[in-house]
Amino acid sequence: EAIEETYTIKIKANGNGIVSPESVIVNKSITAEVTATPQDGYKFVGWKTEGGAEVADKDPVSTINASSTTAIY
């Protein structure tokens, strides 16, 4: 049986809040839940990929797969 390649995904905030966890291990069939928590006075507005593309899911608690993601506040 073939072993699926795994990826370590680093999740970061843009400086106006925190994300948890800051990294996860996923593959094509394993996803991970991440949570963005804004600092006081800021509102979470979405996620974007490392390449800058906005992610359709605007929920601060989101499920991700093999891509790099940043929380936007």
Side-chain angles (χ1 to χ4, degrees):
E1 183 176 314
I3 297 174
E4 279 193 79
E5 191 170 350
T6 60
Y7 304 90
T8 299
I9 306 299
K10 295 184 185 279
I11 303 98
K12 59 184 176 181
N14 69 347
N16 298 312
I18 59 169
V19 291
S20 177
E22 291 182 349
S23 68
V24 294
I25 297 174
V26 297
N27 64 30
K28 290 181 181 178
S29 58
I30 295 175
T31 59
E33 186 176 279
V34 295
T35 302
T37 305
Q39 291 177 340
D40 288 343
Y42 289 87
K43 178 183 173 188
F44 175 81
V45 294
W47 299 96
K48 70 176 181 177
T49 66
E50 184 175 54
E54 288 192 26
V55 177
D57 185 355
K58 303 295 184 195
D59 192 329
V61 178
S62 186
T63 301
I64 63 169
N65 57 14
S67 68
S68 209
T69 306
T70 299
I72 307 167
Y73 301 93

